[in-house]
Short mmCIF file of all heavy atoms in Angstrom, two decimals:
data_model
loop_
_atom_site.label_atom_id
_atom_site.label_comp_id
_atom_site.label_asym_id
_atom_site.label_seq_id
_atom_site.Cartn_x
_atom_site.Cartn_y
_atom_site.Cartn_z
N PRO A 1524 -165.19 -82.69 -92.50
CA PRO A 1524 -164.94 -83.45 -91.23
C PRO A 1524 -163.42 -83.62 -91.01
O PRO A 1524 -162.60 -83.51 -92.01
CB PRO A 1524 -165.66 -84.73 -91.54
CG PRO A 1524 -165.51 -84.93 -93.04
CD PRO A 1524 -165.66 -83.54 -93.57
N PRO A 1525 -163.02 -83.85 -89.81
CA PRO A 1525 -161.66 -84.18 -89.49
C PRO A 1525 -161.29 -85.53 -90.21
O PRO A 1525 -162.14 -86.40 -90.37
CB PRO A 1525 -161.57 -84.32 -88.00
CG PRO A 1525 -162.95 -84.54 -87.60
CD PRO A 1525 -163.81 -83.87 -88.54
N PRO A 1526 -160.00 -85.76 -90.52
CA PRO A 1526 -159.58 -86.97 -91.22
C PRO A 1526 -159.59 -88.23 -90.34
O PRO A 1526 -159.54 -89.35 -90.90
CB PRO A 1526 -158.16 -86.65 -91.74
CG PRO A 1526 -157.70 -85.59 -90.80
CD PRO A 1526 -158.86 -84.76 -90.43
N ALA A 1527 -159.68 -88.10 -88.99
CA ALA A 1527 -159.81 -89.16 -88.06
C ALA A 1527 -160.58 -88.68 -86.89
O ALA A 1527 -160.86 -87.50 -86.71
CB ALA A 1527 -158.40 -89.67 -87.68
N GLN A 1528 -161.00 -89.65 -86.02
CA GLN A 1528 -161.91 -89.35 -84.92
C GLN A 1528 -161.20 -89.33 -83.59
O GLN A 1528 -161.91 -89.27 -82.59
CB GLN A 1528 -163.05 -90.39 -84.84
CG GLN A 1528 -163.84 -90.47 -86.19
CD GLN A 1528 -164.56 -89.14 -86.48
OE1 GLN A 1528 -165.33 -88.73 -85.69
NE2 GLN A 1528 -164.21 -88.52 -87.61
N ASP A 1529 -159.94 -89.40 -83.48
CA ASP A 1529 -159.26 -89.31 -82.18
C ASP A 1529 -159.16 -87.85 -81.79
O ASP A 1529 -159.19 -86.92 -82.59
CB ASP A 1529 -157.83 -89.84 -82.28
CG ASP A 1529 -156.96 -89.16 -83.34
OD1 ASP A 1529 -157.13 -89.36 -84.53
OD2 ASP A 1529 -156.13 -88.27 -82.90
N PRO A 1530 -159.16 -87.56 -80.47
CA PRO A 1530 -159.21 -86.17 -79.93
C PRO A 1530 -158.11 -85.33 -80.51
O PRO A 1530 -158.32 -84.08 -80.77
CB PRO A 1530 -159.06 -86.32 -78.39
CG PRO A 1530 -159.59 -87.72 -78.13
CD PRO A 1530 -159.23 -88.55 -79.34
N GLU A 1531 -156.88 -85.78 -80.67
CA GLU A 1531 -155.80 -85.02 -81.12
C GLU A 1531 -156.04 -84.55 -82.58
O GLU A 1531 -155.89 -83.33 -82.86
CB GLU A 1531 -154.49 -85.75 -81.13
CG GLU A 1531 -153.94 -86.06 -79.73
CD GLU A 1531 -154.69 -87.32 -79.06
OE1 GLU A 1531 -155.43 -87.94 -79.78
OE2 GLU A 1531 -154.45 -87.55 -77.87
N THR A 1532 -156.56 -85.39 -83.47
CA THR A 1532 -156.79 -85.06 -84.80
C THR A 1532 -158.05 -84.07 -84.88
O THR A 1532 -157.96 -83.10 -85.60
CB THR A 1532 -157.10 -86.28 -85.66
OG1 THR A 1532 -155.99 -87.19 -85.62
CG2 THR A 1532 -157.40 -85.91 -87.09
N ILE A 1533 -159.03 -84.32 -84.09
CA ILE A 1533 -160.16 -83.43 -84.08
C ILE A 1533 -159.77 -82.04 -83.60
O ILE A 1533 -160.09 -81.08 -84.26
CB ILE A 1533 -161.26 -83.99 -83.15
CG1 ILE A 1533 -161.84 -85.28 -83.68
CG2 ILE A 1533 -162.33 -82.94 -82.88
CD1 ILE A 1533 -162.71 -86.11 -82.70
N ALA A 1534 -158.91 -81.99 -82.58
CA ALA A 1534 -158.48 -80.68 -82.09
C ALA A 1534 -157.62 -79.95 -83.08
O ALA A 1534 -157.77 -78.73 -83.24
CB ALA A 1534 -157.73 -80.91 -80.75
N ARG A 1535 -156.77 -80.66 -83.74
CA ARG A 1535 -155.93 -79.97 -84.80
C ARG A 1535 -156.84 -79.44 -85.93
O ARG A 1535 -156.63 -78.29 -86.42
CB ARG A 1535 -154.88 -80.93 -85.36
CG ARG A 1535 -153.62 -81.18 -84.46
CD ARG A 1535 -152.55 -81.87 -85.21
NE ARG A 1535 -152.91 -83.17 -85.68
CZ ARG A 1535 -152.72 -84.28 -85.04
NH1 ARG A 1535 -152.15 -84.26 -83.71
NH2 ARG A 1535 -153.13 -85.49 -85.45
N HIS A 1536 -157.80 -80.25 -86.38
CA HIS A 1536 -158.70 -79.90 -87.44
C HIS A 1536 -159.48 -78.68 -87.03
O HIS A 1536 -159.60 -77.68 -87.83
CB HIS A 1536 -159.63 -81.08 -87.74
CG HIS A 1536 -160.60 -80.77 -88.77
ND1 HIS A 1536 -160.33 -80.80 -90.15
CD2 HIS A 1536 -161.93 -80.36 -88.67
CE1 HIS A 1536 -161.45 -80.48 -90.85
NE2 HIS A 1536 -162.43 -80.21 -89.97
N MET A 1537 -160.02 -78.65 -85.81
CA MET A 1537 -160.87 -77.55 -85.34
C MET A 1537 -159.98 -76.25 -85.14
O MET A 1537 -160.42 -75.13 -85.29
CB MET A 1537 -161.61 -77.95 -84.09
CG MET A 1537 -162.69 -79.00 -84.34
SD MET A 1537 -163.87 -78.44 -85.63
CE MET A 1537 -164.49 -76.93 -84.86
N THR A 1538 -158.74 -76.44 -84.74
CA THR A 1538 -157.87 -75.30 -84.56
C THR A 1538 -157.70 -74.59 -85.93
O THR A 1538 -157.67 -73.36 -86.06
CB THR A 1538 -156.48 -75.69 -84.00
OG1 THR A 1538 -156.71 -76.29 -82.69
CG2 THR A 1538 -155.53 -74.57 -83.90
N GLN A 1539 -157.50 -75.42 -86.94
CA GLN A 1539 -157.40 -74.82 -88.37
C GLN A 1539 -158.68 -74.20 -88.78
O GLN A 1539 -158.68 -73.16 -89.49
CB GLN A 1539 -156.95 -75.98 -89.32
CG GLN A 1539 -155.57 -76.46 -89.05
CD GLN A 1539 -155.27 -77.73 -89.88
OE1 GLN A 1539 -156.09 -78.30 -90.58
NE2 GLN A 1539 -154.04 -78.15 -89.74
N THR A 1540 -159.79 -74.80 -88.39
CA THR A 1540 -161.13 -74.18 -88.77
C THR A 1540 -161.23 -72.84 -88.07
O THR A 1540 -161.76 -71.86 -88.72
CB THR A 1540 -162.26 -75.13 -88.27
OG1 THR A 1540 -162.13 -76.35 -88.99
CG2 THR A 1540 -163.58 -74.52 -88.59
N MET A 1541 -160.89 -72.66 -86.80
CA MET A 1541 -160.99 -71.48 -86.12
C MET A 1541 -160.15 -70.37 -86.74
O MET A 1541 -160.43 -69.18 -86.65
CB MET A 1541 -160.74 -71.59 -84.70
CG MET A 1541 -161.72 -72.51 -83.92
SD MET A 1541 -163.48 -72.12 -84.23
CE MET A 1541 -163.58 -70.45 -83.66
N ARG A 1542 -159.05 -70.76 -87.37
CA ARG A 1542 -158.21 -69.73 -88.06
C ARG A 1542 -158.99 -69.11 -89.25
O ARG A 1542 -158.77 -68.02 -89.62
CB ARG A 1542 -156.95 -70.41 -88.66
CG ARG A 1542 -155.90 -70.75 -87.59
CD ARG A 1542 -154.58 -71.19 -88.27
NE ARG A 1542 -153.72 -71.93 -87.36
CZ ARG A 1542 -153.08 -73.04 -87.63
NH1 ARG A 1542 -153.32 -73.60 -88.87
NH2 ARG A 1542 -152.34 -73.66 -86.76
N VAL A 1543 -159.87 -69.98 -89.82
CA VAL A 1543 -160.67 -69.50 -90.95
C VAL A 1543 -161.83 -68.61 -90.59
O VAL A 1543 -162.13 -67.54 -91.15
CB VAL A 1543 -161.20 -70.68 -91.79
CG1 VAL A 1543 -162.08 -70.20 -92.95
CG2 VAL A 1543 -160.01 -71.46 -92.35
N ILE A 1544 -162.59 -69.11 -89.51
CA ILE A 1544 -163.80 -68.38 -89.12
C ILE A 1544 -163.54 -67.44 -87.92
O ILE A 1544 -164.50 -66.61 -87.63
CB ILE A 1544 -164.94 -69.35 -88.78
CG1 ILE A 1544 -164.66 -70.10 -87.49
CG2 ILE A 1544 -165.16 -70.34 -89.91
CD1 ILE A 1544 -165.87 -70.96 -86.98
N GLY A 1545 -162.46 -67.49 -87.27
CA GLY A 1545 -162.25 -66.75 -86.04
C GLY A 1545 -161.77 -65.35 -86.19
O GLY A 1545 -161.78 -64.76 -87.34
N SER A 1546 -161.41 -64.69 -85.16
CA SER A 1546 -161.01 -63.26 -85.13
C SER A 1546 -159.66 -63.07 -85.79
O SER A 1546 -158.86 -63.92 -86.01
CB SER A 1546 -161.03 -62.74 -83.72
OG SER A 1546 -162.27 -62.88 -83.09
N LYS A 1547 -159.47 -61.76 -86.09
CA LYS A 1547 -158.22 -61.33 -86.68
C LYS A 1547 -157.03 -61.60 -85.69
O LYS A 1547 -157.27 -61.74 -84.49
CB LYS A 1547 -158.25 -59.87 -87.00
CG LYS A 1547 -159.26 -59.47 -88.02
CD LYS A 1547 -158.87 -60.01 -89.42
CE LYS A 1547 -159.86 -59.58 -90.52
NZ LYS A 1547 -159.49 -60.17 -91.80
N PRO A 1548 -155.86 -61.71 -86.18
CA PRO A 1548 -154.69 -62.17 -85.38
C PRO A 1548 -154.51 -61.30 -84.13
O PRO A 1548 -154.12 -61.88 -83.07
CB PRO A 1548 -153.49 -62.00 -86.35
CG PRO A 1548 -154.05 -62.24 -87.67
CD PRO A 1548 -155.39 -61.60 -87.66
N HIS A 1549 -154.81 -60.01 -84.09
CA HIS A 1549 -154.57 -59.23 -82.93
C HIS A 1549 -155.54 -59.53 -81.78
O HIS A 1549 -155.33 -59.19 -80.60
CB HIS A 1549 -154.61 -57.75 -83.20
CG HIS A 1549 -155.99 -57.19 -83.54
ND1 HIS A 1549 -156.59 -57.45 -84.77
CD2 HIS A 1549 -156.86 -56.45 -82.83
CE1 HIS A 1549 -157.73 -56.79 -84.78
NE2 HIS A 1549 -157.98 -56.22 -83.62
N LEU A 1550 -156.63 -60.26 -82.07
CA LEU A 1550 -157.62 -60.70 -81.10
C LEU A 1550 -157.59 -62.15 -80.86
O LEU A 1550 -158.09 -62.67 -79.86
CB LEU A 1550 -158.98 -60.27 -81.50
CG LEU A 1550 -159.34 -58.79 -81.42
CD1 LEU A 1550 -160.80 -58.56 -81.90
CD2 LEU A 1550 -159.16 -58.22 -80.02
N ALA A 1551 -157.07 -62.94 -81.81
CA ALA A 1551 -157.28 -64.41 -81.87
C ALA A 1551 -156.54 -65.07 -80.73
O ALA A 1551 -155.50 -64.57 -80.18
CB ALA A 1551 -156.74 -64.94 -83.15
N MET A 1552 -157.10 -66.17 -80.25
CA MET A 1552 -156.47 -66.99 -79.26
C MET A 1552 -155.18 -67.65 -79.75
O MET A 1552 -155.16 -68.01 -80.91
CB MET A 1552 -157.48 -68.06 -78.75
CG MET A 1552 -156.98 -68.90 -77.65
SD MET A 1552 -158.18 -70.22 -77.20
CE MET A 1552 -159.49 -69.19 -76.42
N ASP A 1553 -154.24 -67.86 -78.94
CA ASP A 1553 -153.02 -68.47 -79.28
C ASP A 1553 -153.39 -69.91 -79.66
O ASP A 1553 -154.20 -70.59 -79.08
CB ASP A 1553 -152.04 -68.47 -78.01
CG ASP A 1553 -150.89 -69.41 -78.25
OD1 ASP A 1553 -149.88 -68.91 -78.85
OD2 ASP A 1553 -150.89 -70.58 -77.82
N ASP A 1554 -152.68 -70.38 -80.77
CA ASP A 1554 -153.02 -71.76 -81.35
C ASP A 1554 -152.90 -72.82 -80.32
O ASP A 1554 -153.62 -73.78 -80.25
CB ASP A 1554 -152.15 -72.02 -82.56
CG ASP A 1554 -152.80 -71.51 -83.84
OD1 ASP A 1554 -153.89 -70.98 -83.79
OD2 ASP A 1554 -152.22 -71.63 -84.85
N ASP A 1555 -151.81 -72.75 -79.45
CA ASP A 1555 -151.58 -73.78 -78.44
C ASP A 1555 -152.71 -73.83 -77.47
O ASP A 1555 -153.14 -74.91 -77.07
CB ASP A 1555 -150.21 -73.57 -77.83
CG ASP A 1555 -149.07 -73.87 -78.70
OD1 ASP A 1555 -149.24 -74.53 -79.73
OD2 ASP A 1555 -147.91 -73.39 -78.36
N GLN A 1556 -153.16 -72.65 -77.04
CA GLN A 1556 -154.24 -72.63 -76.08
C GLN A 1556 -155.54 -73.10 -76.71
O GLN A 1556 -156.28 -73.88 -76.09
CB GLN A 1556 -154.42 -71.18 -75.59
CG GLN A 1556 -155.56 -71.02 -74.52
CD GLN A 1556 -155.75 -69.62 -74.08
OE1 GLN A 1556 -155.02 -68.72 -74.45
NE2 GLN A 1556 -156.84 -69.46 -73.20
N ARG A 1557 -155.75 -72.67 -77.95
CA ARG A 1557 -156.89 -73.18 -78.66
C ARG A 1557 -156.98 -74.66 -78.79
O ARG A 1557 -157.98 -75.31 -78.59
CB ARG A 1557 -157.00 -72.46 -80.08
CG ARG A 1557 -158.14 -72.90 -80.88
CD ARG A 1557 -159.38 -72.11 -80.75
NE ARG A 1557 -159.24 -70.82 -81.28
CZ ARG A 1557 -160.11 -69.87 -81.20
NH1 ARG A 1557 -161.31 -70.10 -80.58
NH2 ARG A 1557 -159.96 -68.61 -81.70
#
Side-chain angles (χ1 to χ4, degrees):
Q1528 303 296 301
D1529 60 281
E1531 292 80 7
T1532 301
I1533 294 168
R1535 282 195 297 269
H1536 178 83
M1537 290 305 300
T1538 298
Q1539 293 170 354
T1540 298
M1541 295 311 299
R1542 288 190 197 134
V1543 176
I1544 70 172
S1546 297
K1547 296 292 184 180
H1549 69 284
L1550 290 178
M1552 182 182 291
D1553 173 81
D1554 273 357
D1555 290 340
Q1556 181 183 355
R1557 175 88 72 184

